[in-house]
Amino acid sequence: MIDEYLANVRESVNQQFLNIIKSDSHVSKAMLHTVLAPSKCIRAGIVRAAAELEGTLNKESINNLETAVEAMHSYSLIHDDLPAMDNDDWRRGQEACHIAFGEDVAILSGDCLQIYAIDCLSP
């Protein structure tokens, strides 16, 4: 039951990212590389469950909140994996963003995801 719920959250969040990140640029590809990587989407699931329990937000607002949380989390993972930080080569079973796209593109993609998270929360 929880796995199905989280799969539904992940599908919703992934679709939101695919609807917004449409450019064919290296930075956009790096962003999608990280946000679409296999994940349980637990943080977004907690956000959705709490919002549904509260019952005051519409579905679009909930989707924006859960996507913002995932964007911010993905930003933190990209920057955490960088050589100057933990220097990890793998994340979620695939090459870390800086390995797949270069350190410069990874930094920019993480920065863009952080800005996107804030944008998701703006009216």
Side-chain angles (χ1 to χ4, degrees), residues 30 33-34 77-84 86-90 95-107 109:
H33 171 82
T34 302
L77 296 177
I78 290 171
H79 282 226
D80 182 60
D81 289 342
L82 290 168
D86 285 349
N87 196 25
D88 289 321
D89 292 344
W90 295 91
E95 288 183 324
C97 192
H98 72 279
I99 298 296
F101 294 92
E103 190 174 350
D104 55 343
V105 173
I107 291 169
S109 66

Side-chain angles (χ1 to χ4, degrees), residues 8-25:
N8 185 290
V9 170
R10 169 49 67 203
E11 182 180 330
S12 176
V13 169
N14 282 353
Q15 191 57 55
Q16 177 98 338
F17 282 126
L18 289 169
N19 288 340
I20 299 301
I21 306 170
K22 293 184 178 185
S23 169
D24 200 30
S25 73

